[in-house]
Amino acid sequence: MIVTLIVICEVGFWVLLAAGLAARYLLKMPRMGIALLLCEPLLEVLLLVVTAIDLKNGADPSWKHGLAALYIGYTVGHGHRTVKWLDGHAAHRFGGAPRPPKPPQYGMARARHEGKVWLGSVTAAAVASGLLLLAALYVGDDGNTDSLYGWILVAWRTAGIHGLIALSYAIWPRKAPAGEASAVPARDPEHVPDLLVRRPSKDEEQV
């Protein structure tokens, strides 16, 4: 049942996301779009409640409960970034907004980007660990909680591996190919240095 609910929550996440973006940009109903997007956290709450009820009814803690905690943690750590990325592309495609800037590809800018993504994995591991510890306390000494503690190790092992990968970009930063102009990562025009912005001539200003 828990595994089935995880699948339902994952499918529901993408369905609500697509419906929210469609309502916001295609149907021109931004309030309804935001309302649909705000319903997504309810899926994780539902999964958490069902998992707790399953344990309360005497189910032995197993990998299914650990997987549910990791799924919720991942959604908390990386869900917002995913929604923001898709919203930016939908705004560009259907709302006339500028194209979202691509993440940096080279140098320390890429290392900082990877570090921010890794912080999402740390958040996911922390949330999953908190839920698993609460589940272990909820079960108490009468049940077998070894699997729950085992999933905590899985969560932090995954975050550790991701951290090593992110650190590699700082230790061995990628260099831009020879002859390729370095792009200025900026979300807004005012973030671009004045020297890189062509000032209009006097004739253009008069026009």
Side-chain angles (χ1 to χ4, degrees), residues 141-188:
D141 298 333
D142 296 335
N144 182 9
T145 57
D146 292 342
S147 62
L148 297 178
Y149 290 114
W151 277 100
I152 294 178
L153 295 177
V154 171
W156 287 107
R157 187 183 300 117
T158 304
I161 294 173
H162 188 185
L164 292 176
I165 295 174
L167 183 62
S168 68
Y169 286 93
I171 299 176
W172 301 287
R174 295 182 59 188
K175 296 182 180 180
E180 180 175 330
S182 59
V184 179
R187 291 183 177 275
D188 301 304

Side-chain angles (χ1 to χ4, degrees), residues 44-102:
E44 279 65 52
V45 174
L46 174 63
L47 179 59
L48 179 61
V49 170
V50 172
T51 302
I53 293 175
D54 192 43
L55 292 173
K56 181 66 174 180
N57 291 336
D60 292 330
S62 65
W63 63 271
K64 296 179 292 185
H65 303 97
L67 183 61
L70 260 63
Y71 174 80
I72 295 173
Y74 179 87
T75 304
V76 174
H78 294 285
H80 175 72
R81 183 170 54 86
T82 302
V83 172
K84 185 177 180 180
W85 182 82
L86 289 173
D87 182 69
H89 283 276
H92 167 68
R93 180 66 178 83
F94 303 108
R99 181 185 296 275
K102 294 181 178 180

Side-chain angles (χ1 to χ4, degrees), residues 8 13 40-41 72 88 96 113 120 201:
I8 293 175
F13 174 86
E40 291 181 347
I72 295 173
H113 170 75
S201 63

Side-chain angles (χ1 to χ4, degrees), residues 198-207:
R198 186 179 70 85
R199 297 182 179 277
S201 63
K202 292 183 179 181
D203 294 337
E204 291 175 338
E205 290 179 349
Q206 292 176 357
V207 175

